[in-house]
Amino acid sequence: VELSCIIKSTITPDPRIEWKKIRDGETSYVFFDNKMQGDFVTRAEILSRTSLVIKNTTRMDTATYRCEVAAPSDTKTIDEINIQLTVQ
């Protein structure tokens, strides 16, 4: 599955991008400090610098995924999008 987090424009040369998984009120990192985290290390990757691709999805991947972008040089320094993923 591919979850897209598209940045339309930014003047910050290298904005910080993080992906988080929120399930049952618990938040965990998926992509942090330019690295995959936890069980995503072996089955996920970042495409085009922002989109998250999760391979071999299971019901345990059902969650809300949050893409957070921090661009300190921009007028709007931080933004986020939540994507609800349901694996049946």
Side-chain angles (χ1 to χ4, degrees):
V1 67
E2 182 176 345
L3 306 178
S4 294
C5 179
I6 298 167
I7 301 171
K8 290 188 178 180
S9 71
T10 179
I11 59 171
T12 301
D14 192 19
R16 188 183 77 231
I17 299 161
E18 296 176 358
W19 279 93
K20 297 177 182 175
K21 176 181 176 182
I22 304 161
R23 181 182 168 109
D24 300 328
E26 298 285 321
T27 301
S28 59
Y29 282 108
V30 175
F31 182 74
F32 176 73
D33 199 21
N34 290 319
K35 296 184 291 245
M36 288 297 166
Q37 305 293 313
D39 70 328
F40 292 98
V41 169
T42 58
R43 60 189 194 93
E45 64 181 326
I46 297 295
L47 287 183
S48 302
R49 215 178 64 139
T50 57
S51 294
L52 174 66
V53 176
I54 305 171
K55 302 170 191 167
N56 303 319
T57 54
T58 69
R59 290 185 191 154
M60 292 302 293
D61 293 314
T62 294
T64 299
Y65 289 82
R66 177 180 296 147
C67 174
E68 297 178 359
V69 178
S73 300
D74 288 52
T75 305
K76 187 171 188 179
T77 58
I78 192 160
D79 205 358
E80 65 184 42
I81 185 173
N82 290 320
I83 302 170
Q84 180 62 47
L85 174 64
T86 303
V87 181
Q88 307 224 351

